[in-house]
Amino acid sequence: MCEIVIDNDKEIQVDIGSSEVTVGKQKGNIIELSGKQFSDPRLLGLQRKGFIYIENEDSNLYTEKFVKIDKESINKSGKFKDNYDVLYSSVTEDIVSRLLDNMIYSGTMNSLTYTFHLFDMKGEKITGTTSNNYIKENYLEIVLSYHNPRADEDAKYNPEEQYFRLNLMTIMMKSLIVMIIYLSLIQWLNTIKVLVLMKNMPKNL
């Protein structure tokens, strides 16, 4: 049995007080964003993402949601590849999430699910997804992108920046070890090849 880390059905209600945040207002099928510019520079990956706080009509509390939109981060350099799966990852994430919703939970997997939405950012309509906050303290967000740093096993979590600091020296050492193992394997295979050739050579030569 695995530990339940993510509760997809739980609505996280918070009091934002006077905090400077990105506020979401549900208008039909569109979530209109206002307040602080949407984008969190502390989160990994090229995709623009961050937290929004959706107004509740019958409460002073706001519903906290983690949002990813189909747009590049304004805090990182780079462009998405020009193909549908990359430009509109929200569609794939929503389809897979609906499949997960209909799987029978056996206690061996706990998966975050996303919900497709259309967002309005100052008149610009952008597709994206919402989910509950999955970035818990002492957990690392891992993204499958070129710009993703890998944390050391003994790295200390930085609660202010919400990710593990990148230790370049450790990464260089790990890369060197991998290269040494690779070269040793090549040398070992070449040695075996030579021995096989010598064994198969005619003895009268």
Side-chain angles (χ1 to χ4, degrees):
M1 301 289 286
C2 71
E3 177 189 1
I4 301 297
V5 177
I6 300 164
D7 185 349
N8 292 297
D9 298 322
K10 182 180 179 180
E11 293 289 351
I12 304 171
Q13 304 293 323
V14 297
D15 181 0
I16 63 174
S18 59
S19 302
E20 186 182 5
V21 297
T22 303
V23 175
K25 187 170 185 178
Q26 193 83 42
K27 290 188 174 181
N29 296 323
I30 298 176
I31 299 178
E32 185 180 86
L33 301 183
S34 62
K36 182 181 178 181
Q37 185 178 32
F38 175 73
S39 187
D40 193 328
R42 298 168 294 182
L43 300 177
L44 305 180
L46 183 58
Q47 187 175 17
R48 190 185 301 188
K49 47 194 170 181
F51 296 94
I52 69 169
Y53 298 85
I54 301 176
E55 295 179 357
N56 294 313
E57 294 182 357
D58 56 348
S59 171
N60 292 326
L61 299 178
Y62 289 70
T63 302
E64 180 187 68
K65 286 294 182 181
F66 182 77
V67 172
K68 299 197 297 179
I69 63 173
D70 295 322
K71 204 173 183 68
E72 294 92 347
S73 171
I74 60 176
N75 306 109
K76 297 178 177 64
S77 59
K79 289 289 183 182
F80 288 147
K81 290 184 178 179
D82 189 17
N83 63 61
Y84 187 87
D85 289 342
V86 175
L87 294 175
Y88 299 99
S89 61
S90 58
V91 176
T92 304
E93 290 169 348
D94 184 79
I95 292 173
V96 173
S97 295
R98 300 297 71 79
L99 290 173
L100 288 172
D101 286 342
N102 289 280
M103 291 176 64
I104 298 175
Y105 179 67
S106 62
T108 58
M109 181 178 69
N110 181 219
S111 301
L112 178 79
T113 57
Y114 297 91
T115 302
F116 179 87
H117 283 286
L118 187 62
F119 298 90
D120 185 324
M121 297 177 60
K122 297 182 178 179
E124 182 183 5
K125 301 298 189 296
I126 305 172
T127 53
T129 58
T130 64
S131 67
N132 281 340
N133 177 16
Y134 67 93
I135 306 175
K136 305 298 184 183
E137 187 172 354
N138 297 321
Y139 280 80
L140 169 66
E141 180 202 25
I142 299 177
V143 295
L144 302 177
S145 71
Y146 176 79
H147 299 287
N148 179 37
R150 294 291 187 259
D152 306 323
E153 292 180 359
D154 59 346
K156 300 300 181 182
Y157 182 76
N158 186 323
E160 294 182 359
E161 298 183 7
Q162 298 185 3
Y163 65 86
F164 289 84
R165 288 187 175 277
L166 178 63
N167 189 325
L168 292 176
M169 184 58 68
T170 302
I171 289 179
M172 291 173 64
M173 289 300 296
K174 288 181 179 180
S175 299
L176 180 60
I177 292 172
V178 171
M179 181 62 70
I180 292 173
I181 293 173
Y182 173 76
L183 293 175
S184 299
L185 180 61
I186 296 297
Q187 184 64 40
W188 179 70
L189 291 174
N190 286 335
T191 301
I192 292 178
K193 184 177 179 180
V194 170
L195 291 175
V196 171
L197 289 173
M198 291 177 64
K199 183 179 179 181
N200 293 330
M201 288 178 63
K203 295 182 178 180
N204 57 352
L205 293 179

